[in-house]
Amino acid sequence: MTAPGASPFVVPPRLRRSGGRPGALRALRERANTVLPGLYAWLTTVALPSVQRGAPGSARLSAFLALLALVAAPLFVHERPAIGRALGIFAFVGCSLLTWVLLGAGSVQNAGDPLLPALGAVAFTLYALGWGSLRPRDVVPEDAPNAIPGPPLQPRARPHPLSPLILGVILVSALVPVFLAFRVVESERALFAHAVAILSAILTITVGSRVALQLGQRRAQAPVAERLNAAAVPLALLALSFGLGFLWLVVR
Amino acid sequence: MSKVVDLLSILLVLGASAAFAVGVAALGERRDLAAIYWLAIGALVLRAAVELLRPRSSSR
C-alpha cells in the first residue's frame, strides 16, 4: 500500500492503454477489485444495520453518502488520483464509521448472525488491499524512465514445488483463530480474543511463510544437528508444559 | 534427515496455529486458564519452529 495520491509505478503516457479519459463503466470495471469488496462490505456492515426499524435518518444519510463515495472514487482515480483516494478511503471509511457511531453499538452488532459481520470485515480487508498500487497489465516496469538498465537479475534458487501448497495450508490454518474470535459473545472478552487472534495469525503467517520458502533451500540452511540443538530448549519447555497440563488434568 | 526436520518445522507451525485456535476457543468459553495455557503452548511451538528454521547461533 502506498500513501494516498502516490504510486510506486510510474506509467509513461506512451504505455497507457489509451490516452483518453476512461468512461464511468470502464473505470468501475478497472477498479472492480476495489469496488466489489467495498460494495459487499458496505452492504453487510453499513446498509443492513441502517435500514433496520428505528435507525436514525442521519445514519441512513451517512450510509448513502458512503455508497456515493465508494462508487464515485473510481471515476476520479485516473484524472485526479488524490480526489479518488480521498473519496475511496477517507470519505467511504469516514461515512461508514459515522454511520456506526450514529447507529450505536446495539444496532451495529448483529448477535443473531455473527458470520455476516465477519464476512464484512474480510470484505473491508480486501477493499483496503485493493487500494494498494498494482502494476497495470500492459505496463512493463523496466520500460519506465526511472528503471536502472542492465541484465535482469536471476534468482539464486527456485522454490520447492510444494511451497505454494504448504503456504496455502498454513495461511488457512492461521485464519482459523481469527474466525473463532467472532464466536466470543462478551464484548470485552471478544475484543481481547480478536487482538490475540490477529497477533497469532500474523506470527503464524510470518513464520509459516519463512518455513515454506526455505523448503529445500539447502545452501541457506544450517546443518541439521545445529537446527535440532537450537530447537531443543523450546521443545523441552513444550514437553514440560504438556506434562504440567496433563498433571493438572489428573489432579483436577 | 534434513527433509524430516523441514517436515517437523511445518508440523510445528500447523500445531502452533491449532494451539492458538484452541486458546481463542477457550477464551470464548470463559476458560481463562486453559486459554492462557494454549496460547503459551502456541507461542512455544512457534518458537521451536523458528529455531528449527534458522538457529540463532547460525551466522548464515
Side-chain angles (χ1 to χ4, degrees):
Chain A
M1 290 260 261
T2 55
S7 171
F9 292 106
V10 179
V11 184
R14 66 188 168 83
L15 294 174
R16 284 183 186 162
R17 219 171 293 175
S18 68
R21 184 182 171 186
L25 274 177
R26 189 175 145 187
L28 283 172
R29 196 186 62 198
E30 283 182 353
R31 300 294 299 187
N33 64 326
T34 309
V35 175
L36 289 180
L39 207 58
Y40 185 80
W42 176 82
L43 200 66
T44 51
T45 61
V46 180
L48 281 181
S50 58
V51 294
Q52 284 173 358
R53 186 174 293 175
S58 54
R60 289 177 183 171
L61 179 67
S62 62
F64 180 67
L65 288 177
L67 177 65
L68 275 186
L70 172 71
V71 177
L75 309 179
F76 291 93
V77 163
H78 283 279
E79 297 294 318
R80 302 278 181 88
I83 294 177
R85 281 174 180 267
L87 280 171
I89 298 171
F90 297 111
F92 174 63
V93 177
C95 287
S96 301
L97 276 174
L98 185 64
T99 308
W100 294 330
V101 169
L102 292 170
L103 283 170
S107 301
V108 173
Q109 288 171 350
N110 192 350
D113 187 7
L115 186 65
L116 211 57
L119 290 175
V122 174
F124 261 111
T125 309
L126 291 176
Y127 180 73
L129 292 175
W131 273 103
S133 293
L134 292 174
R135 178 168 66 86
R137 267 186 302 180
D138 52 353
V139 172
V140 181
E142 287 79 7
D143 288 344
N146 51 354
I148 301 169
L153 298 172
Q154 296 297 325
R156 280 180 287 185
R158 294 197 177 280
H160 195 273
L162 284 176
S163 290
L165 178 69
I166 291 166
L167 187 61
V169 171
I170 288 171
L171 274 174
V172 171
S173 72
L175 289 175
V176 172
V178 176
F179 285 103
L180 282 177
F182 282 96
R183 294 184 62 190
V184 182
V185 180
E186 283 178 64
S187 55
E188 291 88 0
R189 201 174 280 270
L191 187 65
F192 182 66
H194 278 286
V196 168
I198 288 173
L199 182 66
S200 69
I202 290 171
L203 289 173
T204 309
I205 289 172
T206 305
V207 177
S209 60
R210 284 185 190 167
V211 167
L213 291 175
Q214 288 273 320
L215 206 63
Q217 310 289 321
R218 296 282 162 265
R219 288 174 64 188
Q221 286 181 348
V224 172
E226 194 177 335
R227 293 170 69 187
L228 286 174
N229 279 337
V233 174
L235 286 174
L237 283 174
L238 196 63
L240 185 68
S241 305
F242 275 126
L244 285 174
F246 182 71
L247 200 66
W248 178 50
L249 273 181
V250 170
V251 169
R252 197 171 57 148
Chain B
M1 189 64 184
S2 180
K3 284 183 182 174
V4 176
V5 177
D6 285 345
L7 182 67
L8 181 63
S9 60
I10 293 167
L11 290 177
L12 282 175
V13 175
L14 291 175
S17 62
F20 285 136
V22 174
V24 171
L27 207 59
E29 293 163 6
R30 302 172 64 98
R31 293 187 292 123
D32 291 346
L33 201 59
I36 292 169
Y37 175 77
W38 282 111
L39 293 174
I41 289 282
L44 267 177
V45 175
L46 214 53
R47 182 73 221 169
V50 170
E51 291 294 347
L52 269 185
L53 181 71
R54 185 164 289 182
R56 266 180 296 181
S57 58
S58 174
S59 57
R60 293 175 210 209

